[in-house]
Amino acid sequence: MTTIAALAFTTAACAEDTSGTGTGSGPSAAASGGGIKSGLKVAFLPKQVNNPYFTTSDNGGKAAVEEFKGVYSETGPSEASPSAQVSYINTLSQQGTDVIVVSANDQNAICGALNEARQAGAKVVTFDSDTDPSCRDLFINQATSEGIAKVQVKLISEAIGPDGGEIAILSATANATNQNAWIEMMKTELAKPEYAKLKLVDTVYGDDDDQKSFQEAQGLMAKHPDLKGIISPTTVGVAAAGRYLSGSEYKGKVQLTGLGTPNQMRAYVKDGTVKSFALWNPADLGYLAAYAGGALASNLITGKEGDKFTAGKLGEFTVGAGATVLLGEPFVFNADNIDELNF
């Protein structure tokens, strides 16, 4: 996995994308809305509000909407459950929202509401976690499932060492589309000969709740006393697991990796609980999703494969198969770079 050396950014000012995904004009386009209509009402609907990951991504979306002179809003449930987002979608539709940017708690549970919103004139962009493709216009993918799976398995393998051992996965909700896709790809990756000494013994779900995730990490150790590592591909889960391991007898003995933010994980990297973990820039993900929605609502693109649009400072992007736009590859955080990053 090639790391991205130029990711020194803050949530208040999203950095230039250096992942190679944007292929066009780059930062020089930042002052332009790229032909997007002004005044568009763009609403972000995360899996749950007050989640640090989604606060960061939604703030990225807000910066983009302000650049193309739209009207930004954020709404959503306080708990991540399959049907919790439906009422918010209905309200946004009734309010005449032009663009709904949503991270789905369930692949199918919100489809009816989203399609009703589309029939009412809204463009629907999913990000972070997709719905069934028939329910949206574009999906902004943070990284490929294969890329995420590969880096997670590689990092846990390196952390544990050549002797291998038992590992477990601490996920978010059991219905989370992105989590389940990553887990399946991790299983495929673990089947490769180079990971023959790693044995996946359990997958548990913390529902993106800090306390439940903490308890699930604790429960894994009680159930699997020989466990050597935990992969938690969710920012809430990996931080909760880090907190548990850091204060337990398993610190330094049971390895942890996953998807986290540097501000959540800095203490656990510095105290030796975590050697490395991965993520992308969630602010850039929200920024790209907002620009994609603006381009759709301005009829600059339709969402068909091959469509191109400019996403401000991130440059030009091309719509791929399945009406999907890819932000880039995961970035690996470790003791050497974590103090350079702030989000």
Side-chain angles (χ1 to χ4, degrees):
M1 179 61 61
T2 302
T3 58
I4 308 169
L7 276 180
F9 41 67
T10 68
T11 56
C14 311
E16 171 186 350
D17 175 58
T18 57
S19 65
T21 307
T23 58
S25 51
S28 63
S32 170
I36 294 174
K37 295 176 184 176
S38 62
L40 291 175
K41 295 167 68 176
V42 181
F44 271 68
L45 176 56
K47 289 180 182 177
Q48 61 183 150
V49 295
N50 301 320
N51 176 320
Y53 172 85
F54 287 112
T55 298
T56 302
S57 61
D58 291 3
N59 282 341
K62 181 180 181 181
V65 173
E66 290 175 349
E67 284 180 9
F68 59 73
K69 296 178 172 55
V71 180
Y72 168 87
S73 64
E74 182 198 50
T75 188
S78 58
E79 295 184 4
S81 67
S83 61
Q85 295 169 311
V86 171
S87 63
Y88 295 94
I89 295 166
N90 292 338
T91 298
L92 291 172
S93 179
Q94 292 162 6
Q95 293 172 342
T97 305
D98 296 300
V99 180
I100 299 174
V101 182
V102 57
S103 180
N105 276 318
D106 183 274
Q107 185 174 18
N108 298 305
I110 61 175
C111 272
L114 287 177
N115 280 328
E116 287 182 11
R118 294 169 76 195
Q119 290 167 10
K123 298 297 183 181
V124 172
V125 176
T126 55
F127 77 110
D128 176 73
S129 182
D130 200 10
T131 59
D132 185 283
S134 66
C135 314
R136 44 75 170 169
D137 297 292
L138 277 179
F139 170 48
I140 310 303
N141 194 359
Q142 56 269 48
T144 63
S145 293
E146 182 180 16
I148 291 169
K150 281 185 175 181
V151 74
Q152 307 255 321
V153 173
K154 179 175 182 286
L155 293 179
I156 199 66
S157 177
E158 290 174 347
I160 292 173
D163 292 338
E166 296 181 353
I167 64 171
I169 295 171
L170 170 58
S171 186
T173 64
N175 296 311
T177 314
N178 55 346
Q179 299 280 317
N180 290 335
W182 300 338
I183 290 169
E184 287 307 308
M185 290 301 299
M186 280 191 266
K187 291 177 180 177
T188 300
E189 192 70 9
L190 286 165
K192 293 181 177 179
E194 58 263 44
Y195 300 121
K197 291 188 177 181
L198 292 178
K199 182 182 179 183
L200 179 62
V201 295
D202 210 348
T203 299
V204 296
Y205 302 92
D207 293 341
D208 263 351
D209 176 84
D210 176 76
Q211 189 57 34
K212 184 175 182 185
S213 297
F214 183 96
Q215 291 168 348
E216 290 291 348
Q218 190 176 35
L220 281 172
M221 296 315 308
K223 186 177 178 182
H224 305 283
D226 294 327
L227 201 67
K228 297 298 182 184
I230 298 172
I231 300 173
S232 187
T234 162
T235 57
V236 175
V238 74
R243 192 172 82 253
Y244 167 68
L245 291 174
S246 180
S248 77
E249 63 184 291
Y250 304 108
K251 176 182 174 182
K253 300 176 183 177
V254 176
Q255 302 301 321
L256 172 66
T257 193
L259 300 179
T261 71
N263 288 355
Q264 286 178 305
M265 300 302 292
R266 184 173 287 107
Y268 308 127
V269 170
K270 292 197 167 192
D271 74 5
T273 302
V274 175
K275 293 178 180 176
S276 60
F277 63 98
L279 197 64
W280 42 90
N281 183 349
D284 280 353
L285 186 67
Y287 183 95
L288 175 57
Y291 263 99
L296 282 166
S298 303
N299 299 315
L300 299 175
I301 59 173
T302 64
K304 70 179 180 181
E305 186 173 359
D307 275 354
K308 296 180 185 296
F309 67 98
T310 299
K313 65 173 175 277
L314 297 183
E316 185 178 82
F317 288 78
T318 301
V319 178
T324 296
V325 179
L326 179 64
L327 175 62
E329 291 297 317
F331 177 75
V332 175
F333 304 90
N334 55 38
D336 293 333
N337 63 24
I338 198 161
D339 280 337
E340 301 169 12
L341 305 155
N342 180 33
F343 70 91

